[in-house]
Amino acid sequence: VGVHTYRSLADAEAVSAAAEEAHSAIVIGGSFIGSETAASLRSRGLAVTQVEMGPTLMPQLRCPDLSAQLVELYRAEGVDVRLETQVEELTGNGRLLTGARTDDGETVEAYLAIVGVGVEPNVELAQEAGADVDDGIVVDERFRTSLPDVYAIGDVARYPDKTSGRLRRIEHGSNANAQGEHFGRRLPGPPRGAHRPTAC
């Protein structure tokens, strides 16, 4: 009891309810889910320790300066950010979580633990159907997969990012919402009365 992951709205509601009773929490992971959870729990008054195995928060931003600023901001707001650190064991009293032991031998008090270490995109169906898959379902700028009339958006889609000039897959709700809006505008096709090209 006391250890949570985020996979659904029910998970988020369970964490929110648990935060009412817990006065301290440990967040494992420094990506979007881990960082947003740490900020949210801290804003609710909990003592929060955030553990990230890498050298900075949100490495997927690929902007070291911004990541460093996030670390400074989190620490200024009272989050105990521990970089290049891993949790080796979650500890308890047989009934409830009481803390965690890190790989440097330190024990962190925590009555709530959030494990946010990334997601594995569910690509099995697309792969079995013959779609191009590479850390997600590969799509073009219109979210088309390599299969005719099959599209993919959201966490599972790996799309060409104009800013970075490479394929990216972003695990964030705002990204899924934005892609859904863009895709929705394109679904109807050209405006009524517009010229439609004829296949030759």
Side-chain angles (χ1 to χ4, degrees), residues 2-7 25-38 41 48-54 57 79-82 85-91 97 99-102 108 110 112-119:
V3 182
H4 299 264
T5 59
Y6 276 114
R7 291 292 182 269
I26 185 166
V27 177
I28 304 170
S31 193
F32 283 123
I33 289 178
S35 296
E36 290 186 354
T37 301
L41 293 175
V48 178
T49 301
Q50 184 176 12
V51 176
E52 163 57 35
M53 65 185 298
L57 295 180
V79 177
D80 181 6
V81 179
R82 304 190 184 192
T85 303
Q86 297 186 57
V87 171
E88 290 196 340
E89 181 184 18
L90 293 172
T91 58
L97 177 76
R101 184 168 56 83
T102 59
V108 177
L112 173 62
I114 312 298
V115 182
V117 292
V119 301

Side-chain angles (χ1 to χ4, degrees), residues 76-143:
E77 292 296 326
V79 177
D80 181 6
V81 179
R82 304 190 184 192
L83 302 174
E84 297 182 295
T85 303
Q86 297 186 57
V87 171
E88 290 196 340
E89 181 184 18
L90 293 172
T91 58
N93 59 16
R95 185 174 60 88
L96 296 174
L97 177 76
T98 58
R101 184 168 56 83
T102 59
D103 58 355
D104 57 7
E106 188 170 350
T107 298
V108 177
E109 180 186 86
Y111 296 93
L112 173 62
I114 312 298
V115 182
V117 292
V119 301
E120 289 291 331
N122 186 352
V123 300
E124 288 78 8
L125 181 61
Q127 194 167 31
E128 290 173 6
D132 288 343
V133 170
D134 180 13
D135 184 34
I137 301 171
V138 178
V139 298
D140 64 13
E141 68 281 354
R142 296 179 65 85
F143 308 111

